[in-house]
Amino acid sequence: YGNFIDDLRLYVRGGTGGMGYPRLGGEGGRGGDVWFVAQERITLKSVREKYPLKRFVAGTGANSSVKALKGEKGKDCEVHVPLGISVLCDDGKQIGELNAAGERFLAARGGLGGSLATNFVPCKGQRRIVRLDLKLIADVGLVGFPNAGKSSLLSKVSHAKPEIANYAFTTIQPQLGKIMYADYKQILVADLPGLIEGAHANKGMGHKFLKHVERTKQLLLVVDISGFQLSVKTQFRTAFETILLLTKELELYKEELLTKPALLAINKMDLPCAKDNLNELMKQLQNPQDYLHLLEEEMIPTNTLEFKDIIPVSTYTGEGTEELKACIRKSIAEEAEQENEEYRKKKLLLLQTSE
């Protein structure tokens, strides 16, 4: 998966409490806690390089003494982690997540200091092994089969410089690019490694890829108008079949992915016969039910994706890229407006019920 690290296993331990003072009933200080704090411009790779031992232990609480009957709390240990992190136990159960800068998660609590309740003997801090699992956060995630032109599209609409070549799987790690608009508005786009048939069953980079799709607000499917064939051994797929296959893979992994707003970019419109293929594809997309008989049963998704916009583009000539940027912006704005409306309604409902 290249140099890109998307999960990290760490050992965390809260500090031990301080000793109590039985003769005067003094109480030892509590042990320090281990906190994960979300911070921008940090990657899991930089966390691993900074702390190669991957061990985080908080400070011990101060002992109770004649001078200070109540011992001071041990020093907390703060670990800065990237945004978009899920915190999992070693058994894979999610115990927390950090999505915005400044958010904190208590990874290991410090032990109590010695007191009357503990017979003046301090307690040890909580200890456990946790996994930090990164799911990229981006406004738009580019979804498509290898060689559909996702990387070329990203380089055309943003300032990213992904590797581009005419063979499958040039993108083996997620690339992030920002679309910059004239009024300084910025939209973050993630180019994700190419999906293949069977990705939901973890073929290829299946789960690693689909995991990142979960954390994008919207999907942008990129499809080659002339169809797609991964290798000589695999079947050729038309653009329509490609769209249904991508939908099927997303659906089998997690049905909720199909509820995300989606746009469709039809790439390589500079190729001969592209116009005819596009007319055919538009007919098929208007009434997908009439064409499902062309496919094998297991390829047909239960629900089809509803596209807010369908934009023909050519990353080679640049045709349609400006229109695509405008559509992405419009779609993001509409979604934000809808979220605000829902938030306002919730607030109003709370006010009414409290009255």
Side-chain angles (χ1 to χ4, degrees), residues 3-22:
N3 286 333
F4 188 82
I5 297 173
D6 60 358
D7 63 12
L8 202 55
R9 205 159 163 263
L10 311 171
Y11 171 80
V12 289
R13 192 178 87 212
T16 309
M19 292 290 286
Y21 201 115

Side-chain angles (χ1 to χ4, degrees), residues 156 267-271 313-321:
K156 271 276 186 288
N267 193 18
K268 308 195 181 176
M269 286 304 293
D270 51 284
L271 295 176
V313 296
S314 163
T315 50
Y316 182 68
T317 61
E319 173 203 338
T321 48

Side-chain angles (χ1 to χ4, degrees), residues 73-116:
K73 185 177 183 283
K75 192 171 186 292
D76 283 352
C77 170
E78 287 196 352
V79 188
H80 290 126
V81 297
L83 311 186
I85 283 282
S86 296
V87 186
L88 312 170
C89 281
D90 213 21
D91 61 3
K93 184 170 169 263
Q94 186 169 323
I95 49 175
E97 56 179 16
L98 298 157
N99 294 326
E103 276 188 13
R104 298 164 69 81
F105 174 76
L106 180 59
R109 193 179 286 282
L112 293 172
S115 64
L116 190 61

Side-chain angles (χ1 to χ4, degrees), residues 160 191 210 232 244 261 277 291 306:
D191 170 23
L210 290 158
V232 218
L244 289 183
N277 290 347
Y291 297 92
E306 292 291 321

Side-chain angles (χ1 to χ4, degrees), residues 182-220:
D183 60 355
Y184 303 107
K185 164 86 177 157
Q186 297 182 3
I187 288 176
L188 201 57
V189 181
D191 170 23
L192 306 165
L195 263 183
I196 63 166
E197 287 180 50
H200 68 276
N202 215 5
K203 278 191 187 169
M205 293 184 184
H207 286 183
K208 280 202 161 180
F209 168 92
L210 290 158
K211 186 178 80 173
H212 294 300
V213 179
E214 281 181 71
R215 281 285 176 98
T216 56
K217 291 178 191 166
Q218 306 205 353
L219 307 177
L220 172 59

Side-chain angles (χ1 to χ4, degrees), residues 142-337:
L142 300 184
V143 179
F145 283 133
N147 241 14
K150 298 186 298 302
S151 299
S152 309
L153 190 62
L154 183 70
S155 66
K156 271 276 186 288
V157 297
S158 76
H159 295 292
K161 297 280 175 280
E163 186 183 336
I164 296 163
N166 63 350
Y167 54 84
F169 298 116
T170 22
T171 306
I172 54 169
Q173 56 191 44
Q175 301 274 351
L176 284 179
K178 270 183 186 165
I179 304 181
M180 310 284 274
Y181 292 90
D183 60 355
Y184 303 107
K185 164 86 177 157
Q186 297 182 3
I187 288 176
L188 201 57
V189 181
D191 170 23
L192 306 165
L195 263 183
I196 63 166
E197 287 180 50
H200 68 276
N202 215 5
K203 278 191 187 169
M205 293 184 184
H207 286 183
K208 280 202 161 180
F209 168 92
L210 290 158
K211 186 178 80 173
H212 294 300
V213 179
E214 281 181 71
R215 281 285 176 98
T216 56
K217 291 178 191 166
Q218 306 205 353
L219 307 177
L220 172 59
L221 268 69
V222 184
V223 171
D224 184 337
I225 188 61
S226 54
F228 167 72
Q229 187 172 16
L230 184 61
S231 69
V232 218
K233 295 174 188 168
T234 58
Q235 209 175 325
F236 173 79
R237 303 292 187 197
T238 64
F240 178 65
E241 288 174 343
T242 305
I243 294 166
L244 289 183
L245 266 173
L246 287 170
T247 310
K248 184 73 176 169
E249 288 302 330
L250 296 173
E251 179 183 83
L252 287 170
Y253 176 71
K254 214 175 238 185
E255 273 187 59
E256 298 92 89
L257 290 179
L258 297 190
T259 60
K260 287 181 186 284
L263 298 168
L264 174 62
I266 298 162
N267 193 18
K268 308 195 181 176
M269 286 304 293
D270 51 284
L271 295 176
C273 305
K275 290 274 188 290
D276 299 339
N277 290 347
L278 180 65
N279 295 336
E280 179 67 18
L281 177 62
M282 294 308 264
K283 258 194 301 187
Q284 291 169 324
L285 286 174
Q286 271 159 4
N287 303 300
Q289 303 306 324
D290 302 351
Y291 297 92
L292 295 181
H293 64 274
L294 303 171
L295 304 172
E296 302 99 80
E297 189 95 1
E298 63 273 13
M299 272 176 61
I300 301 168
T302 322
N303 302 301
T304 46
L305 265 173
E306 292 291 321
F307 296 110
K308 293 180 85 170
D309 275 304
I310 298 173
I311 309 104
V313 296
S314 163
T315 50
Y316 182 68
T317 61
E319 173 203 338
T321 48
E322 285 307 314
E323 190 193 338
L324 178 64
K325 281 160 77 169
C327 284
I328 291 172
R329 181 166 184 172
K330 185 172 136 236
S331 179
I332 296 272
E334 282 170 5
E335 215 50 40
E337 185 52 47

